[in-house]
Amino acid sequence: DGVITDTMRYHYFAWKRVFKTVDVCVTRLDVYKREGQRGITSILGMCHDKGIVISRAKAQDLLNQKEALFKKIFKKRFIAGSRRFVQNMSRKGFRLALVTGTSFHEVQRILPQNLRTRFEVVVTGCDVRRGKPSPDPFQKALKSLKMKARDAIVIENAPLGVLSAKRAHLRCLALETSLPRSYLKKADKVFSSYQELNQSIFFEMELS
């Protein structure tokens, strides 16, 4: 979400509707700044931010409701230039890994097979005990690729994803697709679009 697919608007709407049932008002920023987290962690975190105590069982119930609503309302949309970028990188021989907080079944449902198969490794929220901003997801991807951090670059769009990449000692390029660059300061460089990223990606890789 936010790097390849453009579905955050549907996540936000689903979160907003579900939290309303427990009289909690969440803003777009509340949701977007937690992008990349595991769902249960996001619920507990947002409730904590609002000064509300919620049991883990209730949080899981809200998450189930949110996921069911998201499935009903989402439409397949993609960040401009993302599919071409993935395809071009694959054709040029770069080894690609997809690291997402989304569950595996959602990845299968949202990403077309001809795009999904471009990724040699897929790490989802189901594959690690600690999700972003822990370094675990990116470290698992590196291990699966048998690659050193110095030989890889991460493309992220969310603060927690950037932090996860940096904690894994990876060079991180960020895209302003969900939040402005003021939220992406920990990235090594921030780009406004794939068009801008394309103009310097190979130079960035040489620097890594």
Side-chain angles (χ1 to χ4, degrees), residues 85-105:
F85 179 82
V86 170
Q87 291 162 351
N88 286 344
M89 295 299 282
S90 176
R91 281 195 289 264
K92 289 178 184 295
F94 288 95
R95 301 177 67 197
L96 305 181
L98 178 68
V99 180
T100 176
T102 302
S103 63
F104 181 70
H105 74 272

Side-chain angles (χ1 to χ4, degrees), residues 2 5 35-36 38 56 76 97 110 128 143-144 146 148 159 166 168 183 199 204-205 208:
T5 61
E35 184 181 349
R38 297 171 71 178
R56 195 170 185 88
K76 288 186 180 181
I110 295 173
V128 291
K143 185 176 180 180
S144 298
K146 296 184 172 67
K148 301 291 186 182
K166 298 311 296 179
Y183 289 91
Q199 292 172 356
E204 295 292 338
M205 288 184 170
S208 69

Side-chain angles (χ1 to χ4, degrees), residues 1-186:
D1 294 313
V3 174
I4 298 174
T5 61
D6 184 13
T7 54
M8 279 306 296
R9 68 191 74 193
Y10 305 115
H11 283 292
Y12 165 64
F13 181 79
W15 279 126
K16 188 175 179 68
R17 285 280 299 274
V18 167
F19 270 112
K20 191 174 181 179
T21 67
V22 290
D23 296 320
V24 176
C25 179
V26 296
T27 66
R28 192 176 299 271
L29 179 59
D30 290 330
V31 174
Y32 279 38
K33 72 180 182 180
R34 292 185 175 277
E35 184 181 349
Q37 271 188 334
R38 297 171 71 178
I40 192 75
T41 306
S42 291
I43 291 175
L44 294 171
M46 283 189 275
C47 285
H48 179 269
D49 289 349
K50 304 292 181 181
I52 296 167
V53 177
I54 187 172
S55 70
R56 195 170 185 88
K58 181 59 178 177
Q60 185 62 54
D61 178 57
L62 291 177
L63 178 59
N64 293 342
Q65 292 180 48
K66 181 264 175 180
E67 290 184 345
L69 179 56
F70 175 78
K71 289 175 184 177
K72 289 180 181 178
I73 65 174
F74 98 97
K75 296 179 182 178
K76 288 186 180 181
R77 303 169 64 104
F78 295 88
I79 300 297
S82 64
R83 286 174 290 182
R84 180 177 294 181
F85 179 82
V86 170
Q87 291 162 351
N88 286 344
M89 295 299 282
S90 176
R91 281 195 289 264
K92 289 178 184 295
F94 288 95
R95 301 177 67 197
L96 305 181
L98 178 68
V99 180
T100 176
T102 302
S103 63
F104 181 70
H105 74 272
E106 283 195 2
V107 171
Q108 287 185 306
R109 192 161 50 88
I110 295 173
L111 277 189
Q113 185 178 5
N114 66 344
L115 193 63
R116 195 170 65 246
T117 54
R118 300 281 185 174
F119 294 95
E120 182 177 340
V121 168
V122 176
V123 177
T124 72
C126 307
D127 297 321
V128 291
R129 187 175 63 84
R130 299 185 304 168
K132 301 172 184 178
S134 159
D136 294 12
F138 287 113
Q139 288 175 338
K140 183 175 180 64
L142 287 169
K143 185 176 180 180
S144 298
L145 289 168
K146 296 184 172 67
M147 186 180 290
K148 301 291 186 182
R150 64 174 179 267
D151 298 322
I153 285 181
V154 170
I155 298 175
E156 262 289 351
N157 75 301
L160 297 183
V162 172
L163 186 56
S164 175
K166 298 311 296 179
R167 286 176 173 173
H169 307 293
L170 285 151
R171 184 169 176 79
C172 184
L173 309 180
L175 287 166
E176 289 183 281
T177 57
S178 300
L179 292 169
R181 63 183 60 217
S182 58
Y183 289 91
L184 305 169
K185 291 179 179 178
K186 292 186 182 298

